[in-house]
Amino acid sequence: KALEKEVLHEHLILLYLDEILRNREAKSDRMKRAIPILGPSVSAEKETGASGDLRRRLLRFLQSSKFYRPEKILSKFQKTSMYEERAILLRSAGRHEEALQIYVHDLCNLDLAAQYCEEVYSDAMKKAKASERSEGKDVYMKLMRTCLLPVMRRSSSVDSKNRRGIKSIRDSESD
């Protein structure tokens, strides 16, 4: 029974995503200019039209449902500008540092990041086992680290170029 719910909820999430992207594409066709799928992020609250309404519904569904595997769904959101949805999926997967990077660096919203930490902390404190509660205590440290350290880009090529650049700067300083 739980497996049936999981399959159904995952399918529903993908239907929402598909319809949102279709609405955005149709809107860009009507406006005769491109609305980038990857482009600048617009919060679900501020997005207008049918795609904004669908995003708000999807956000509520992602927050309330426990019958989906976030790891399975997450890859489908990687090439979109739907950062809020990705942050919720990352939270469900227990990948708090990545979720915080979205709130801090992609959405530039420290209020949402702080709210996220409060919710994770509060949820963790309700758990019986001490090992499960430590997740909540660590989330504030993860927020501090996310704010203070430069953004870790998802592309390893960018990261390796940065390391090479830092190494070459250090080499030139030692000369």
Side-chain angles (χ1 to χ4, degrees), residues 37-155:
I37 292 174
L38 276 175
S41 175
V42 175
S43 75
E45 203 56 41
K46 292 180 182 175
E47 188 163 341
T48 60
S51 56
D53 183 48
L54 287 167
R55 281 189 67 199
R56 288 184 288 278
R57 289 183 197 181
L58 175 58
L59 282 169
R60 283 191 300 273
F61 186 75
L62 290 172
Q63 290 170 331
S64 64
S65 174
K66 301 298 177 213
F67 295 105
Y68 64 87
R69 291 170 293 180
E71 300 84 8
K72 186 175 178 184
I73 305 282
L74 201 49
S75 64
K76 308 293 185 197
F77 285 81
Q78 292 303 328
K79 294 185 179 174
T80 71
S81 60
M82 297 167 64
Y83 295 116
E84 294 161 286
E85 292 83 346
R86 284 201 333 239
I88 291 169
L89 290 167
L90 288 165
R91 176 184 179 175
S92 296
R95 295 164 53 182
H96 301 298
E97 201 149 355
E98 292 173 70
L100 288 167
Q101 284 179 0
I102 288 174
Y103 288 123
V104 172
H105 298 296
D106 294 326
L107 295 173
C108 301
N109 193 327
L110 287 175
D111 290 335
L112 279 178
Q115 179 183 344
Y116 176 91
C117 289
E118 180 58 36
E119 289 170 4
V120 169
Y121 180 82
S122 178
D123 289 349
M125 292 304 109
K126 294 174 187 172
K127 295 182 178 174
K129 295 181 183 175
S131 62
E132 293 174 337
R133 286 195 303 262
S134 69
E135 177 183 291
K137 294 176 185 174
D138 293 343
V139 75
Y140 285 105
M141 289 302 295
K142 290 176 182 180
L143 175 59
M144 291 299 296
R145 194 172 27 247
T146 300
C147 290
L148 296 174
L149 296 177
V151 180
M152 298 298 288
R153 286 289 158 211
R154 292 159 185 94
S155 166

Side-chain angles (χ1 to χ4, degrees), residues 18-48:
D18 188 51
E19 191 61 26
I20 291 165
L21 296 178
R22 239 186 254 166
N23 274 299
R24 286 179 172 182
E25 192 174 311
K27 186 176 180 179
S28 82
D29 288 346
R30 283 192 310 271
M31 296 175 73
K32 301 291 185 222
R33 63 183 172 95
I35 296 176
I37 292 174
L38 276 175
S41 175
V42 175
S43 75
E45 203 56 41
K46 292 180 182 175
E47 188 163 341
T48 60

